[in-house]
Amino acid sequence: KKDSFTIIGYVRKSPLLDVSEDIRIKYLQSMMDALRDRSGEDMVYISPCSKSTEPIVSHDAVINTNMLKVIERFSGDTQGKVRPK
């Protein structure tokens, strides 16, 4: 940061069937807050439901935009399709 670099973070949650949307939102928010507060990321992008083995280009091909309306302090999804208000 002191050298005028922009620090970008990325948060991803796996698509587990037994995890409710509320819990997924809570975990995503917690991970994003930790990145911003502890590591000083300027921008944090999220992938709320993707596998680590998938190519990043396929992450968020289908996304729950209602879930993203609840999450705070993120810069967008990994495809650049969803941006917060």
Side-chain angles (χ1 to χ4, degrees):
K1 277 194 162 190
K2 68 181 182 176
D3 294 326
S4 299
F5 289 103
T6 300
I7 301 172
I8 299 172
Y10 166 65
V11 174
R12 183 193 65 77
K13 292 304 297 172
S14 297
L16 302 174
L17 298 176
D18 59 341
V19 175
S20 71
E21 189 172 292
D22 291 338
I23 297 297
R24 183 174 300 280
I25 290 168
K26 178 182 174 182
Y27 289 158
L28 282 166
Q29 189 69 61
S30 176
M31 291 168 67
M32 279 193 320
D33 291 344
L35 276 176
R36 286 197 184 271
D37 298 340
R38 295 182 195 154
S39 302
E41 266 72 1
D42 299 305
M43 304 169 82
V44 177
Y45 291 88
I46 62 173
S47 182
C49 192
S50 62
K51 296 179 181 177
S52 62
T53 56
E54 292 176 341
I56 197 161
V57 72
S58 66
H59 288 198
D60 308 320
V62 177
I63 195 162
N64 182 343
T65 55
N66 290 326
M67 181 171 57
L68 296 182
K69 290 178 184 176
V70 179
I71 300 172
E72 301 173 351
R73 300 174 64 197
F74 72 99
S75 302
D77 72 349
T78 55
Q79 299 299 317
K81 293 183 252 174
V82 176
R83 301 221 190 278
K85 293 180 183 178

